[in-house]
Amino acid sequence: MRIYLRPVTLDDGARIVKWRNSPDVSSHCFDKTPITVESNAAFFKANIETGKYKQFIVERIDEDFGVSSYPIATVYLKDFDLVNRRCELCIFTSDDQEWNTESQSIAINLLLKKVFKEYGMHKVYAFVFADNTDEVALMKRVGLKEEAVLKKEAVNSRGDYVDVLRMTIVDEEYEF
């Protein structure tokens, strides 16, 4: 499987809105408020164009029938602390069948390489619902470790407050 990351564009908005508003996807988000093409465009202008967020579309390269690629998800970085050289890693699940364990691991590893090599960060952290065992396992697979448990930190899709894990990796722990 070949995966690459390309910078998100405003033209990706309709696809991102579709992914994000899917119940399977929004259940993984801390903010479950549905988004619109207009709210996504405002987010793009305020965060992507200004560089506050570094967002990428995860593309799957299909070589079975000639070389072509197609988007399967998005991943991004936010909350850049340039003094302490740290930022938050976020994965934006999609309902695409190609967004599976293997493609997720590849995409996050590509993003981690960017974090440490291109952006010069020292530490990356991610917040994951503690009961989301698949996502916790994914983060561990790419090298993040549990740093803290934030008790009853966020509301899940059922409306219950649940624990959230802060998972981290520092540059000297990451294997390129």
Side-chain angles (χ1 to χ4, degrees), residues 125-139:
Y125 56 91
F127 295 102
V128 180
F129 286 112
D131 62 355
N132 186 336
T133 56
D134 289 343
E135 200 163 319
V136 171
L138 170 64
M139 293 299 169

Side-chain angles (χ1 to χ4, degrees), residues 46-59:
N47 295 292
I48 305 302
E49 286 182 352
T50 62
K52 291 178 183 175
Y53 281 47
K54 307 284 187 198
Q55 187 172 9
F56 302 90
I57 294 294
V58 179
E59 295 254 343

Side-chain angles (χ1 to χ4, degrees), residues 4-37:
Y4 75 97
L5 304 180
R6 69 162 171 82
V8 70
T9 68
L10 192 54
D11 291 338
D12 293 312
R15 179 174 286 110
I16 289 172
V17 168
K18 177 184 173 286
W19 286 339
R20 171 56 177 74
N21 290 337
S22 162
D24 288 340
V25 174
S26 65
S27 70
H28 295 264
C29 300
F30 286 7
D31 181 354
K32 294 165 184 42
T33 307
I35 64 172
T36 64
V37 171

